[in-house]
Structures are given as C-alpha cells and as structure tokens.
Amino acid sequence: MAFRDTKSKIIIKTPEQIQGIRESSILAAKTLKVVEAFIKPGVNTDYLNSICAQFIKDNGANSATLGYHGFTKETCISVNDVICHGIPGKLELRDGDIVNIDVTTILKGYFGDTSKMFLVGDVSDHAKKLVKVTKECLSIGIEQCKPGTHLNNIGYYIDRHAKSHGYSTVYEFCGHGVGLRFHEEPEVCHVAEKGTGPILQPGMIFTIEPMINAGKARAKIDKKDGWTARTIDGRLSAQFEHTICITKSEPFILTDIDNEFPQPKEIF
Ligand code: MF3
Ligand code: CO
Ligand code: CO
C-alpha cells in the first residue's frame, strides 16, 4: 500500500535474531520433508496435519497457526482449487490431486514460514505445469531480492511470469515480514508496480509466497469455516513459500534446506 512506502516499520534483524529465525525456518522446512512420505491417495488432511504437529512438538517448537485469529490447526493444507488457508480435516486425498502444505513454526520465540506443493499419485500434465510455473514464480521473486531494489519489483516479475503462461496471480493474499512475529511489515504483494515500495536492505526478513491460478485470480472465502480461500471458477491454484533474508549480496533463503539456492557468506 502506498502509505507504507516512505515511512515503513520494517525491522532490520540482528545477527542473533537471524540465527534464531534460521533455526525455526529449518525446522519448518524439515516438517515438510517428514510429512511428504505420508502423502498418498486415501489419507485425510487431518492425518497429515497430525504428523506435522507431532514433529514440531518433538522438536521443542510450536505451530504459529494453531489459535492464530481462531485458526484451529497446526498447518494449512490446501487441495486443488483451494488457494490457501485450507483447514486440515476429513477431506481424503485422491489420485491426481495437487496439495499445498504450509508450516509456520515458533522456535525459541522465532518464526519460520514455508510451504510447497505435493503431487498425489498420477497428476495431469496441466496441473504439473501449474505447479512448475508457480515454483518458477517464487524463484523469480527471489532473484529480485538484492539490496537497493524496490520491494515491489518482486511482485512485478512474479505476475509477469505467471501471465506469460496464461495464469493469474492472486492479489488478495500477500507475503509478509516474519521472524519476531508471524506477520510483520512489509506486505509483499505478488502483483505490483515495478520501481515502487520500500528499498530492500540487509537484515530484512520476509516471505515470498505466490499463489498462482490456472483461471481467474479472484478468491472466495468459505462462508461456513471463514478461512478456506477457493478460486471463484473452481480451477486449480498452486503456491510455494520461502522465508528470505536480504543480505549485502545474494539473498539467504532461510527455509531452503535442499541447497536449491546458494548460501551467502555474510549478511551485513
Ligand atoms: N502460513 C500462512 C502464511 O504463509 C498463514 C496462515 S494463517 C492461518 O502467511 F491462520 F491461516 F493459519
Ligand atoms: Co507466510
Ligand atoms: Co505460510
């Protein structure tokens, strides 16, 4: 939002805080690795949530979503046309589904937030392509994460990539500053105007979490549960999320435990 551009309250994290947020981020990412083995046709999303919840607890951490504004589960699990904030429950996964699991951990007071897509059994080529392009959108956003760059360049290039494949970018949900609290400034829009927004500086930590739709961009919230966000046209949606720390050179992807991104030597 324009009024945030000049006088933002984006926290610059200290080296000690960055280390704490890194450890929480690693745990969130490990949780996604642990649950992966249980994802198959016939399991319900509540079961997958319980696997994540147990792993988080066993590692001395808490889930940030449980009790967050009344959210009742330790993860968000969003299947097919669900854009985000799916509540784990009785829904059973079926062959061909695409599913996002979003984990936010609180470890020693620090927050780490990550999500990724999983393919259930035999998935159609068009669904696979949506998932692939959405992952590319996150990487393209990450490429913009250099000091001196305008924050909104991230969303500009994400949306451009989505559009180039005939997809649309969800604009009703955004990435966010994270680390000392769940949702801090800034708001990281995935559709945005190039050359606007705060200037990125070393020590800023935020998520990038593009939600890309096969059809229309709009979301509708489930009237009964007040959370589940679905596409208005019933078409598929995909999402990937990382927690990112700006450094003096390449960004430090705190939730990347697969070394998909190079790890910078110094932050400041
Ligand atoms: N983890 C989500 C995010 O990436 C937020 C979930 S909030 C909840 O920002 F209340 F739905 F859990
Ligand atoms: Co997030
Ligand atoms: Co998240």
Side-chain angles (χ1 to χ4, degrees):
M1 273 174 259
F3 68 86
R4 284 186 173 154
D5 283 2
T6 43
K7 293 232 177 341
S8 76
K9 294 181 223 105
I10 305 174
I11 303 165
I12 302 296
K13 270 79 177 184
T14 66
E16 185 191 336
Q17 290 169 337
I18 294 167
Q19 185 52 33
I21 299 162
R22 168 67 164 160
E23 281 164 27
S24 191
S25 296
I26 289 172
L27 178 60
K30 279 186 183 166
T31 308
L32 293 178
K33 279 223 182 300
V34 167
V35 73
E36 179 156 28
F38 297 88
I39 298 174
K40 52 179 184 243
V43 299
N44 70 40
T45 56
D46 211 16
Y47 178 68
L48 298 175
N49 178 67
S50 70
I51 300 290
C52 295
Q54 190 65 48
F55 184 74
I56 292 167
K57 201 171 151 222
D58 288 347
N59 283 277
N62 288 307
S63 154
T65 58
L66 183 65
Y68 183 78
H69 293 283
F71 196 82
T72 53
K73 298 284 170 166
E74 290 85 347
T75 62
C76 296
I77 305 190
S78 304
V79 181
N80 294 337
D81 64 324
V82 177
I83 296 170
C84 62
H85 302 167
I87 307 172
K90 291 195 171 74
L91 177 72
E92 281 182 11
L93 297 182
R94 288 174 309 192
D95 190 56
D97 284 347
I98 60 170
V99 50
N100 174 281
I101 304 186
D102 190 335
V103 174
T104 312
T105 46
I106 314 172
L107 179 65
K108 297 177 190 152
Y110 296 112
F111 292 72
D113 189 5
T114 185
S115 84
K116 65 178 283 193
M117 298 301 296
F118 299 94
L119 306 178
V120 184
D122 208 5
V123 169
S124 70
D125 286 344
H126 82 274
K128 271 188 199 151
K129 192 189 159 204
L130 175 68
V131 169
K132 176 174 175 276
V133 171
T134 304
K135 192 169 183 194
E136 289 165 4
C137 283
L138 174 55
S139 296
I140 284 166
I142 287 171
E143 271 174 35
Q144 291 302 313
C145 292
K146 303 218 175 91
T149 301
H150 282 280
L151 175 77
N152 284 340
N153 289 17
I154 295 169
Y156 173 80
Y157 285 105
I158 285 173
D159 187 43
R160 195 178 74 153
H161 188 64
K163 280 204 182 89
S164 76
H165 288 280
Y167 299 144
S168 64
T169 307
V170 173
Y171 54 86
E172 293 166 279
F173 301 97
C174 300
H176 50 92
V178 69
L180 309 186
R181 284 177 291 122
F182 195 170
H183 292 107
E184 303 174 2
E185 286 195 34
E187 197 165 51
V188 180
C189 300
H190 305 112
V191 181
E193 201 184 321
K194 206 177 158 180
T196 68
I199 302 288
L200 301 182
Q201 291 172 40
M204 288 181 174
I205 297 183
F206 53 78
T207 72
I208 303 179
E209 48 183 298
M211 288 144 270
I212 306 297
N213 293 351
K216 293 188 166 69
R218 281 284 308 281
K220 61 166 191 284
I221 310 291
D222 188 294
K223 283 204 181 71
K224 285 196 201 109
D225 68 32
W227 281 102
T228 310
R230 291 191 182 81
T231 58
I232 52 166
D233 53 13
R235 295 183 66 186
L236 295 177
S237 184
Q239 179 179 29
F240 285 84
E241 172 175 30
H242 272 311
T243 294
I244 291 143
C245 179
I246 303 298
T247 81
K248 64 180 187 185
S249 58
E250 300 298 312
F252 185 8
I253 313 307
L254 303 180
T255 43
D256 173 28
I257 56 171
D258 295 324
N259 296 314
E260 285 188 30
F261 298 89
Q263 211 179 295
K265 289 190 184 66
E266 289 180 327
I267 311 287
F268 297 100

